[in-house]
Amino acid sequence: MEFYPDIERSDLQDIKKFQEQKLQELLVYLEKNSPFYQKLFQENGISISDIQTLEDLRKIPTTTKDDLQQHNHDFFCISPDKIVDYSTTSGTLGDPVTFGLSDSDLERLAYNEAISFACAGIQKGDVVQMITTIDKRFMAGLAYFLGLRKMGASVVRMGPGIPELQWDSIFRYKPKYLITVPSFLLKMIDYAEKHGVDYKNSSVYGAICIGESIKNQDFTDNILSQKIKEKWNIKLFSTYASTEMSTAFTECEFQTGGHQHPELIITEILDDNENPVAEGENGELTITTLGVEAIPLLRFKTGDVVKAHYEPCRCGRNTMRLGPVVGRKQQMIKYKGTTLYPPAMTDILNDFNTILCYQIVIQSNEIGLDEIIIKLSTDQDQETFVNEVRDHFRAKLRVSPKIEIIDFDILSKTVFNPNSRKPITFIDLR
């Protein structure tokens, strides 16, 4: 199959040898073309000839988001006249960083998405509705379009929001798959129920879910996924990607983690001391991109805490799989002796159908400790509802955050900011 690469079905030793060859090609390219990595190698006395295996990568210092922000221009390996597209990160961990893509990089991006969508079951001739932006320097939207085009699927470029238009498009063009932030599916269902739309008999078979987790760590459906499927019996596929990686990890039909594409990316899962974690333990995903021309990255720390799964998948792929993101390293919260990540609090809030919208705010109090404030809108009796939410937090996470009820018209303008690609449900003011 054109979009089922042989290397993904190879045995683990063959995959490792393949990646080591690709790594050596990358190091030669970086030493020749990257001002940032030329300096890094020189300052740390690194001879690239000493880096022969994946284990040898540990001899090289990691690269961080701060490096990208402070030395953005030094990461470019090609001249400006060879850049055909400019993208930026979404700024989740700080100020946005500029990424340029060459013509070759766009082709790589298309290939990545094509094999990722094929992994989820999309085939040539399928109609796919994109409920995501393709503008505002957003790499993912462009990648989805290029990948679908490459594999011969038909694309309906709807963009985000406006449930009425989404349903009109669904019944007009009969897409088999949607690409969307999963929480928006709940808004579509709500609109359909209120306006008599026969959504359960639509053409939609499945949704490629971006930007939000739909699985627990054991790959069972989380609360968000359960709430969607209770109403609408469609397949939901998890994905994980970032602008920096230019690579996606997408679930196959067996839905036990996002598959790595070994021809496109090398992965490490590191502890706080930058040592590999034991198999089955959580650690920070650290990546090395393969085949990127404009801004290749070597041992880039993503900031995402994940768990890797290495046993062969029933789909026939032997590649490593990533479980759901546990949390972002910089967003870890220490609250009254308990370590928390925002996704755990999001799951609790998604338990309540009567929450119209919410925002989690973390700040430091007057003595330097983390403080959690949950801002939410509801149409329920406020005092009773606040107690219910607080009790649920105590039961699930053993913490009791401060809860503020905010008028929906006020809070929704902050959460659904038109200048943001995603709902702003978490703010870190520390």
Side-chain angles (χ1 to χ4, degrees), residues 88-188:
T88 57
T89 64
S90 57
T92 308
L93 292 180
D95 293 332
V97 171
T98 296
F99 275 78
L101 291 93
S102 67
D103 194 62
S104 171
D105 290 338
L106 286 179
E107 179 59 32
R108 178 190 176 281
L109 201 60
Y111 172 76
N112 160 73
E113 290 299 339
I115 61 177
S116 297
F117 287 143
C119 192
I122 297 178
Q123 299 177 2
K124 181 178 181 179
D126 285 342
V127 180
V128 182
Q129 185 157 316
M130 284 177 48
I131 308 178
T132 178
T133 187
I134 198 170
D135 56 7
K136 299 180 180 176
R137 304 192 305 274
F138 187 39
M139 182 188 285
L142 177 64
Y144 303 147
F145 175 77
L146 293 174
L148 292 167
R149 177 177 179 270
K150 186 174 184 65
M151 70 189 309
S154 300
V155 186
V156 183
R157 293 181 293 107
M158 277 303 299
I162 318 177
E164 181 180 5
L165 289 181
Q166 303 293 348
W167 285 119
D168 176 77
S169 179
I170 286 170
F171 286 102
R172 187 181 300 272
Y173 302 110
K174 297 178 171 48
K176 185 176 180 180
Y177 291 90
L178 308 176
I179 301 175
T180 183
V181 175
S183 59
F184 184 70
L185 293 173
L186 292 176
K187 296 183 184 301
M188 288 180 61

Side-chain angles (χ1 to χ4, degrees), residues 143-326:
Y144 303 147
F145 175 77
L146 293 174
L148 292 167
R149 177 177 179 270
K150 186 174 184 65
M151 70 189 309
S154 300
V155 186
V156 183
R157 293 181 293 107
M158 277 303 299
I162 318 177
E164 181 180 5
L165 289 181
Q166 303 293 348
W167 285 119
D168 176 77
S169 179
I170 286 170
F171 286 102
R172 187 181 300 272
Y173 302 110
K174 297 178 171 48
K176 185 176 180 180
Y177 291 90
L178 308 176
I179 301 175
T180 183
V181 175
S183 59
F184 184 70
L185 293 173
L186 292 176
K187 296 183 184 301
M188 288 180 61
I189 293 167
D190 182 62
Y191 178 90
E193 290 180 338
K194 288 178 178 175
H195 294 83
V197 175
D198 188 14
Y199 66 95
K200 292 183 179 179
N201 289 313
S202 73
S203 60
V204 177
Y205 166 81
I208 310 299
C209 296
I210 64 171
E212 295 171 339
S213 177
I214 56 169
K215 293 290 176 67
N216 297 313
Q217 289 300 316
D218 61 358
F219 301 119
T220 56
D221 290 337
N222 69 7
I223 294 160
L224 175 58
S225 185
Q226 289 173 28
K227 289 174 77 170
I228 294 167
K229 289 183 177 179
E230 282 168 6
K231 297 279 190 175
W232 197 8
N233 186 27
I234 60 174
K235 296 281 187 181
L236 302 178
F237 295 90
S238 288
T239 65
Y240 169 78
S242 72
T243 300
E244 294 92 345
M245 297 192 300
S246 296
T247 312
F249 294 74
T250 303
E251 283 187 321
C252 68
E253 63 201 274
F254 295 102
Q255 301 197 325
T256 52
H259 281 278
Q260 175 193 12
H261 301 310
E263 65 271 49
L264 300 179
I265 198 164
I266 294 170
T267 57
E268 302 173 78
I269 313 294
L270 303 180
D271 63 19
D272 290 341
N273 297 314
E274 300 192 349
N275 295 314
V277 300
E279 192 167 322
E281 291 186 1
N282 297 333
E284 183 172 6
L285 177 65
T286 302
I287 59 95
T288 296
T289 56
L290 301 173
V292 173
E293 188 174 33
I295 303 186
L297 294 175
L298 179 63
R299 302 202 79 206
F300 175 75
K301 297 170 73 174
T302 64
D304 289 327
V305 178
V306 299
K307 181 189 293 185
H309 299 262
Y310 297 96
E311 64 277 8
C313 183
R314 285 180 287 166
C315 72
R317 293 175 178 84
N318 294 321
T319 48
M320 181 274 285
R321 303 185 313 284
L322 283 184
V325 174
V326 176

